[in-house]
Amino acid sequence: MTTLAIYIGAAIAEIAGCFSFWAWLRLDRSPLWLVPGMAGLALFAWLLTRIDSDFAGRAYAAYGGVYITASLFWLWAMESQRPDRWDATGAAVCLVGAAIILWGPRSI
């Protein structure tokens, strides 16, 4: 699996998992929403271990940019709220930062 595909899968799993808690606590849904939510969060954690990086912190930092972008897609697709130009600009900046963190040349 490629790094980008892993990050996208991790983002979907994390956002869906976190949203299940949001639905339970903020939208008055059944506590049964927590079951798939916890499975999603476990899948998210497992997927991040599949990233080809020598250091967990670097893999997690780079993931942040993907997570931010995926969260805005969730906002649009699942909550029917279209991201504005500031959302898109912020996500682009984060993705550039994530790429620099993950693929920047290292002296070690």
Side-chain angles (χ1 to χ4, degrees):
M1 221 188 289
T2 69
T3 298
L4 183 58
I6 293 170
Y7 275 143
I8 290 170
I12 292 167
E14 183 181 16
I15 294 166
C18 289
F19 184 76
S20 72
F21 280 78
W22 179 278
W24 170 53
L25 291 171
R26 301 280 302 266
L27 302 178
D28 246 2
R29 299 295 196 270
S30 163
L32 292 175
W33 275 66
L34 299 177
V35 175
M38 289 185 282
L41 292 173
L43 176 61
F44 150 71
W46 179 80
L47 283 169
L48 281 186
T49 68
R50 309 288 69 158
I51 296 299
D52 185 24
S53 176
D54 292 334
F55 301 98
R58 191 167 287 139
Y60 301 160
Y63 167 71
V66 176
Y67 177 80
I68 289 167
T69 303
S71 296
L72 293 173
F73 278 109
W74 181 276
L75 174 72
W76 193 359
M78 305 304 277
E79 298 181 84
S80 301
Q81 180 64 45
R82 187 176 180 162
D84 62 24
R85 65 183 171 147
W86 299 109
D87 295 325
T89 301
V93 168
C94 291
L95 285 174
V96 168
I100 291 168
I101 289 168
L102 191 61
W103 294 307
R106 305 277 181 232
S107 60
I108 321 175

